[in-house]
Amino acid sequence: LRSDLKGKVVAGKFLAREALAKSIGLGAAGIIAHNIKEEDLADLKSKLNKIPVFIVDEENIEKILKSDGKKVYLETEKKTLILQ
């Protein structure tokens, strides 16, 4: 993880508790992953309430990872993710 995450979305196939905590601490605007352990989410639940977390299937995480540097719009209520 880079130190310039403030206001950006973190994406990865698997994000461990440490990566989630660091993303939150660095001011990430959202998190997108294919796999996050339930216990890692539970440990950080109070902090994760402040930013959206999307769990996507393998096909979509590949598309997201290929679009590195592009704009991403997340809408949690409608569970919508838009890549530009």
Side-chain angles (χ1 to χ4, degrees), residues 8-15 30-35 53-74 79-84:
K8 297 181 181 177
V9 175
V10 174
K13 288 185 180 184
F14 173 79
L15 295 176
I31 296 172
I32 305 170
H34 172 60
N35 189 0
V53 176
F54 283 77
I55 307 296
V56 297
D57 62 25
E58 193 167 355
E59 179 182 339
N60 284 317
I61 195 67
E62 293 297 333
K63 290 178 187 176
I64 291 164
L65 293 175
K66 287 179 184 175
S67 66
D68 184 32
K70 296 185 180 175
K71 291 190 178 198
V72 176
Y73 297 93
L74 307 172
K79 296 181 182 178
T80 303
L81 175 98
I82 300 170
L83 303 172
Q84 285 193 329

Side-chain angles (χ1 to χ4, degrees), residues 11-57:
K13 288 185 180 184
F14 173 79
L15 295 176
R17 183 186 187 287
E18 295 79 17
L20 293 169
K22 189 169 184 180
S23 298
I24 294 165
L26 291 173
I31 296 172
I32 305 170
H34 172 60
N35 189 0
I36 298 175
K37 290 181 180 179
E38 287 295 325
E39 57 266 22
D40 292 342
L41 286 174
D43 286 346
L44 297 168
K45 186 176 180 179
S46 63
K47 293 178 183 177
L48 286 172
N49 284 337
K50 298 174 186 169
I51 62 172
V53 176
F54 283 77
I55 307 296
V56 297
D57 62 25

